[in-house]
């Protein structure tokens, strides 16, 4: 675990009486792609938001490139965040600005880059995800769900980040578009040499983009290993999840706590 | 059950809410009103909050000035009407009705719009996306709205005051048969700079209240469309009540000798 690019140790987070993260520990080596699988409400998104500092972890350690990042503030936090890119589940595109400005947003606002230069980079990144310069002028509301995901991906890679997070990258897409997005993710990550963590329910997506897979259940990592070994994990929770069985050790909560 | 329990719970909830709003106000001032400033955002918000509210504030002021003239005329004797109508219309509009009604109309139009926009950004993770793009959400979203509301509301109400006095003049001279020259002279004689500036000071405070309540409720919106709707309602109701309370306190401060 000591040589990981991203290392989480005993990460805990509660919302009132509800314990969402119960001591998450995992490690991702530099340039590797880790996919975290798990049911809804098991703490996947909360874990990513804690790493990004959007939520403050109650306790535990987050080390990026060997540096402890919990509690960073001000300029140090801005520098830290500039190393990340993130593709959100619903794309989270800013609907009041055109597509190119969405992609260039981090360059213009976060890095004070000239708009013309940022626009050129945005158009290049859009072409990397298969979108033309014509799309750059449109607004997010004028795009289909698949195109919005592509724009979200272009935005995530716009600043050539060393770490990229993907939150449910294929949710809500048809299987063909999901496969296209998975392929784009693999291509972009390879090109950048980035370290990535993806969270998903979609096993086809997990198998396609993961070097390693970890399973989170009730706020704890209960299994982690190479993607190709997941079918032989000997873990009844993992088996139930990857085969989508209704019966097994995982009991779905019908009502929200 | 202890009958005081619900009262105690409500008081504690109110105090907690006051604490949260105070902390939000502190963050809005410390983070939103210190460099870096987003000039483009500030100008856009000035346009949306100030210029686009002009018809609403202007019409409100015009009809209020006219109605006020009619009411004062009804309540005065034929000998005193020519003095009382222009005097009370001018003082009433500049000191009280212009700022308060203008503030309430803008609270309804702009406060709701700010809360709905930021609330939607919150529930669709656009505010989280800002963080991952190294952009301080307080500087980018709250600061420009705060500056725009505090700067444009006094200008807006100054224009509204003029239109309101004009409303009184039109009703006084066209419907009530008052002499045009005498009406203008009486207005000019009784109206002092202090009456106008004190009203405008009030309006700047109302601008702060409208922007803070809109941003606070929008930022803390949760639970999808219903949550955004609730945030919008709360922003308008809380801003309206605070405007009336602040008006009473400021009137006491500015006009009581």
């Amino acid at each position: 675990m000591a040589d990981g690019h991203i290392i989480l140790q005993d990460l805990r987070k509660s919302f009132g009486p509800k314990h969402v993260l119960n001591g998450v520990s995992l490690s991702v080596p530099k340039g590797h792609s880790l996919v975290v699988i798990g049911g809804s409400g098991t703490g996947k998104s909360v874990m990513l938001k804690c790493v990004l500092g959007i939520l403050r972890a109650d306790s535990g350690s987050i080390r990026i490139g060997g540096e402890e990042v919990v509690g960073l503030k001000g300029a140090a936090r801005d520098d830290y965040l500039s190393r990340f890119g993130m593709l959100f589940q619903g794309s989270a595109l800013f609907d009041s600005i055109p597509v190119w400005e969405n992609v260039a947003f981090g360059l213009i606002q976060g890095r004070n880059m000239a708009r013309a230069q940022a626009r050129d980079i945005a158009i290049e990144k859009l072409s990397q995800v298969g979108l033309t310069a014509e799309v750059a002028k449109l607004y997010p509301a004028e795009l289909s769900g698949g195109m919005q995901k592509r724009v979200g991906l272009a935005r995530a890679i716009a600043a050539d980040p060393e770490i990229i997070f993907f939150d449910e990258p294929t949710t809500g897409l048809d299987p063909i578009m999901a496969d296209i997005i998975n392929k784009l993710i693999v291509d972009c990550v390879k090109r950048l040499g980035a370290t990535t963590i993806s969270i998903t329910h979609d096993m086809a997506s997990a198998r396609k983009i993961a070097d390693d897979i970890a399973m989170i259940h009730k706020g704890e990592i209960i299994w982690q290993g190479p993607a190709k070994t997941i079918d032989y994990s000997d873990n009844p929770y993992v088996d139930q999840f990857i085969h989508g069985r209704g019966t097994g050790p995982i009991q779905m909560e019908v009502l929200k706590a | 059950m202890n009958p005081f329990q619900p009262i105690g719970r409500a008081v504690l909830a109110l105090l907690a809410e006051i604490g949260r709003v105070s902390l939000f106000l502190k963050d809005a001032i410390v983070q939103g009103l210190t460099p870096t400033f987003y000039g483009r955002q500030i100008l856009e918000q000035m346009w949306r909050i100030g210029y686009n509210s002009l018809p609403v504030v202007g019409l409100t002021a015009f009809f209020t000035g006219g109605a006020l003239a009619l009411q004062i005329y009804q309540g005065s004797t034929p000998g005193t009407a020519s003095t009382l109508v222009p005097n009370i219309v001018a003082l009433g509009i500049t000191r009280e009705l212009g700022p308060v009604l203008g503030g309430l109309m803008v609270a309804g139009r702009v406060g709701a719009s700010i809360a709905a926009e930021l609330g939607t950004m919150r529930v669709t993770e656009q505010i989280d996306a800002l963080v991952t793009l190294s952009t301080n959400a307080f500087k980018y979203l709250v600061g420009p709205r705060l500056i725009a509301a505090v700067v444009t509301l006094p200008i807006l109400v100054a224009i509204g005051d003029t239109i309101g006095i004009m409303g009184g003049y039109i009703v006084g001279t066209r419907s009530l048969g008052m002499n045009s020259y005498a009406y203008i002279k009486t207005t000019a004689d009784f109206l002092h700079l202090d009456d106008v500036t004190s009203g405008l000071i009030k309006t700047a405070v109302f601008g702060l209240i409208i922007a803070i309540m809109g941003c606070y409720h929008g930022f803390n919106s949760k639970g999808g469309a219903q949550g955004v709707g609730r945030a919008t309602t709360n922003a308008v109701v809380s801003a309206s009540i605070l405007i009336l309370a602040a008006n009473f306190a400021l009137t006491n401060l500015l006009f009581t000798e």
Side-chain angles (χ1 to χ4, degrees):
Chain A
M1 193 173 265
D3 61 346
H5 190 198
I6 304 170
I7 301 173
L8 312 184
Q9 276 182 322
D10 199 24
L11 204 62
R12 291 173 188 275
K13 176 71 185 171
S14 301
F15 296 96
K18 190 173 166 69
H19 304 296
V20 179
L21 299 182
N22 285 315
V24 167
S25 297
L26 56 79
S27 171
V28 192
K30 193 169 176 59
H32 270 236
S33 172
L34 173 75
V35 171
V36 180
I37 57 172
S40 301
T42 50
K44 302 187 298 294
S45 296
V46 171
M47 181 186 74
L48 288 193
K49 286 182 178 176
C50 285
V51 177
L52 289 167
I54 294 169
L55 293 173
R56 189 179 298 170
D58 297 335
S59 65
S61 163
I62 301 168
R63 300 180 75 81
I64 305 293
E67 184 193 348
E68 179 63 49
V69 297
V70 171
L72 282 183
K73 284 181 182 165
R77 183 165 182 258
D78 290 344
D79 285 347
Y80 165 67
L81 286 170
S82 69
R83 298 158 70 184
F84 285 86
M86 175 142 181
L87 171 60
F88 286 85
Q89 185 176 351
S91 302
L93 300 177
F94 306 126
D95 41 25
S96 59
I97 53 177
V99 162
W100 78 265
E101 224 172 315
N102 265 281
V103 177
F105 193 93
L107 302 172
I108 296 170
Q109 310 297 353
R111 301 187 180 196
N112 296 319
M113 189 181 280
R115 289 173 70 82
Q117 190 189 352
R119 191 176 198 280
D120 290 343
I121 293 174
I123 288 172
E124 186 203 323
K125 297 293 178 187
L126 284 168
S127 76
Q128 286 179 17
V129 298
L131 295 173
T132 63
E134 291 304 307
V135 175
K137 298 177 213 155
L138 301 176
Y139 281 81
E142 298 174 271
L143 306 179
S144 67
M147 287 169 92
Q148 288 186 8
K149 284 277 181 186
R150 289 183 192 225
V151 175
L153 179 57
R155 185 173 70 179
I157 62 171
D160 295 336
E162 62 178 83
I163 299 166
I164 311 177
F165 289 163
F166 300 100
D167 185 359
E168 312 268 9
T170 56
T171 298
L173 300 179
D174 66 74
I176 297 169
M177 183 54 76
D179 194 57
I180 291 169
I181 295 291
N182 287 334
K183 191 170 178 315
L184 285 170
I185 288 173
V186 172
D187 290 348
C188 292
V189 170
K190 264 192 195 150
R191 194 180 303 123
L192 291 172
T195 308
T196 68
I197 298 182
S198 311
I199 57 180
T200 187
H201 300 114
D202 177 359
M203 283 314 297
S205 174
R207 290 176 199 278
K208 185 128 190 169
I209 63 182
D211 294 318
D212 296 306
I213 295 179
M215 177 153 173
I216 190 169
H217 181 62
K218 292 192 173 173
E220 283 181 83
I221 299 293
I222 56 166
W223 183 85
Q224 183 174 357
K228 57 191 172 196
T229 66
I230 194 162
D231 290 317
Y232 318 103
S233 68
D234 281 337
N235 183 311
Y237 290 87
V238 174
D239 278 348
Q240 184 189 351
F241 188 84
I242 65 175
H243 294 110
R245 295 192 195 107
T247 54
I250 303 173
Q251 299 298 312
M252 301 303 283
E253 289 174 19
V254 178
L255 293 173
K256 272 180 103 174
Chain B
M1 196 180 87
N2 186 337
F4 292 107
Q5 216 171 37
I7 299 169
R9 202 177 294 126
V11 170
L12 285 175
L14 178 67
L15 292 174
E17 187 71 359
I18 291 170
R20 281 192 289 270
V21 172
S22 305
L23 287 174
F24 188 88
L25 177 62
K26 185 222 35 155
D27 284 341
I29 291 169
V30 171
Q31 295 184 50
L33 301 184
T34 52
T36 311
F37 293 107
Y38 292 97
R40 191 183 282 256
Q41 290 297 311
I42 294 171
L43 289 176
E44 189 187 326
Q45 291 306 322
M46 281 183 164
W47 179 266
R48 288 166 68 174
I49 295 172
Y51 185 77
N52 288 348
S53 299
L54 201 49
V56 173
V57 172
L59 283 170
T60 305
F62 181 81
F63 290 120
T64 305
L68 196 58
L70 287 173
Q71 293 285 17
I72 299 160
Y73 186 79
Q74 294 294 322
S76 54
T77 59
T80 57
S82 61
T83 312
L84 284 179
V85 172
N87 179 10
I88 299 177
V89 165
L91 292 185
I93 289 285
T94 54
R95 285 183 172 200
E96 285 298 323
L97 294 172
V100 173
L101 292 181
L104 290 175
M105 294 309 284
V106 176
R109 205 192 80 80
V110 173
S113 147
I114 292 175
E117 188 179 5
L118 299 194
T120 305
M121 288 185 76
R122 167 62 76 200
V123 299
T124 56
E125 296 186 304
Q126 291 179 50
I127 294 179
D128 291 344
L130 276 179
V131 177
T132 66
L133 294 165
S134 305
T135 304
N136 183 319
F138 271 93
K139 286 190 190 301
Y140 188 76
L141 296 174
V142 180
R145 284 165 175 78
L146 202 56
I147 292 168
V150 171
V151 171
T152 59
L153 215 66
I155 299 170
L156 201 59
V157 168
I159 296 168
D161 285 351
T162 312
I163 295 171
I165 291 171
M166 213 184 301
Y169 166 81
I170 290 171
V171 170
T173 55
R174 300 288 160 90
S175 298
L176 307 175
M178 299 170 86
N179 179 277
S180 170
Y181 173 76
Y183 193 103
I184 293 169
K185 188 174 182 311
T186 311
T187 301
D189 285 346
F190 279 96
L191 192 63
H192 297 113
L193 188 63
D194 284 356
D195 301 317
V196 179
T197 53
S198 57
L200 298 185
I201 290 168
K202 282 182 178 182
T203 322
V205 176
F206 298 164
L208 176 86
I209 290 170
I210 292 165
I212 286 294
M213 286 298 111
C215 291
Y216 171 76
H217 288 288
F219 249 62
N220 291 293
S221 161
K222 53 190 162 196
Q226 199 178 28
V228 175
R230 201 179 305 122
T232 307
T233 307
N234 288 343
V236 175
V237 171
S238 57
S240 303
I241 291 169
L242 284 174
I243 283 172
L244 295 172
N247 180 57
F248 174 73
L250 288 169
T251 302
N252 221 354
L253 197 72
L254 294 166
F255 297 109
T256 310
E257 287 173 10

